[in-house]
Amino acid sequence: MKRKIFAANWKLYKNPQETKKFFTEFLIPGTDSELYFFPPALCVEQALICTQGTRVQIGLQNISEYLEGAFTGENSAQTAKTMGCSAILVGHSERRTMFLETNEQIHKKVITAIVLNLKVMLCIGETLQERESGKTEVVLQQQLEIALKGVADCSDLMIAYEPVWAIGTGKTATPKLANDTHQFIFSWLQSKGWEKTPILYGGSVKPENSQELMNQEFISGFLVGGASLNPESFARICQSL
Ligand code: PGA
């Protein structure tokens, strides 16, 4: 049976009070899926309190590659782990495009998280221009190869495929396009003996399209932005079987 994973990326939305309200209203689905929330760093503590004793796992949306030091404004994965976080989101396209994160930096963050035994949700994805010029596979392969260079153990790894043109735009990839691209990522993982690594889809996932996407062979779950901010709509997405 497919491992099913539902992850919420809250980006820079919600304060601790709103975080508390969300978890009061969010009904954790009764299935055996895995659930992750990536709230803004300042809401992590509240999210951990609200989800204590449940199977919900909390993580940071971004980490410093350094554990500590003179790095003003950064967040430490080590501190996140001490607080009770179990996962880290790395390489989101907003980090790549707006904060100019390179594949090399993403690689360092992946290694930092792995050293701390944190689960890594590595985001990859092509821009519209890259897709239209036929470069999707080359871009994805390069993102995977550089980010995961030297990584020997994939047990704590998840891949989130998020076509940049589908993020926050309302333009979801068609189930076929998403599945074909997931199959390409699967083949790459398989060539390393990592065929059990789950591949999540992200980009305008909503309750209206999540079931059809989940029906696709190579889609193991979702990384959800906008629709994860509402407890009812995210709970409906988490019902995709
Ligand atoms: P979206 O965002 O669901 O709002 O498109 C997904 C993401 O950025 O992870």
Side-chain angles (χ1 to χ4, degrees):
M1 224 184 58
K2 248 206 266 198
R3 201 173 143 190
K4 295 213 170 75
I5 303 172
F6 300 97
N9 174 12
W10 283 357
K11 309 192 180 188
L12 198 50
Y13 296 104
K14 294 196 192 294
N15 59 35
Q17 235 176 336
E18 290 162 341
T19 300
K20 192 170 176 185
K21 184 168 184 290
F22 178 97
F23 283 111
T24 311
E25 294 168 5
F26 177 66
L27 294 176
I28 297 173
T31 56
D32 55 2
S33 55
E34 293 166 52
L35 299 170
Y36 292 87
F37 282 83
F38 298 95
L42 292 173
C43 298
V44 158
E45 189 171 15
Q46 183 66 64
L48 284 163
I49 293 168
C50 292
T51 57
Q52 210 171 14
T54 73
R55 70 177 199 284
V56 170
Q57 303 191 54
I58 305 295
L60 284 178
Q61 297 168 12
N62 175 42
I63 52 161
S64 166
E65 67 196 67
Y66 305 104
L67 298 182
E68 62 177 3
F71 303 106
T72 303
E74 291 289 86
N75 284 313
S76 163
Q78 184 164 258
T79 306
K81 169 134 191 191
T82 310
M83 288 171 73
C85 286
S86 59
I88 301 291
L89 203 63
V90 182
H92 190 279
S93 75
E94 286 152 17
R95 301 291 321 164
R96 293 176 188 263
T97 54
M98 287 185 250
F99 302 97
L100 309 180
E101 269 186 29
T102 63
N103 282 324
E104 285 297 338
Q105 276 172 307
I106 290 162
H107 167 65
K108 289 182 186 155
K109 294 181 183 200
V110 167
I111 298 299
T112 300
I114 288 178
V115 165
L116 291 165
N117 286 321
L118 286 160
K119 292 178 188 153
V120 174
M121 194 172 288
L122 171 66
C123 303
I124 59 170
E126 81 288 0
T127 62
L128 187 59
Q129 199 193 8
E130 286 161 347
R131 175 152 293 267
E132 286 176 345
S133 56
K135 293 200 188 110
T136 299
E137 295 189 354
V138 174
V139 168
L140 297 179
Q141 184 162 338
Q142 194 180 39
Q143 290 175 341
L144 287 166
E145 265 166 15
I146 301 177
L148 300 174
K149 205 170 33 179
V151 173
D153 178 7
C154 69
S155 47
D156 283 338
L157 177 68
M158 294 168 271
I159 305 293
Y161 167 61
E162 300 201 300
V164 179
W165 45 271
I167 296 178
T169 57
K171 280 190 219 153
T172 325
T174 61
K176 177 165 174 10
L177 183 149
N179 196 50
D180 288 350
T181 314
H182 278 229
Q183 185 167 14
F184 169 76
I185 298 165
F186 173 79
S187 305
W188 186 87
L189 291 165
Q190 195 179 34
S191 72
K192 299 190 62 105
W194 293 358
E195 56 279 345
K196 291 220 169 78
T197 301
I199 311 167
L200 283 64
Y201 170 79
S204 298
V205 175
K206 338 180 232 289
E208 295 75 31
N209 59 25
S210 61
Q211 185 60 62
E212 203 189 347
L213 286 160
M214 189 58 108
N215 291 343
Q216 307 303 310
E217 184 179 358
F218 295 99
I219 298 184
S220 275
F222 304 116
L223 178 58
V224 187
S228 74
L229 296 169
N230 176 293
E232 200 244 318
S233 74
F234 190 56
R236 279 174 62 203
I237 291 171
C238 296
Q239 302 291 348
S240 315
L241 296 172

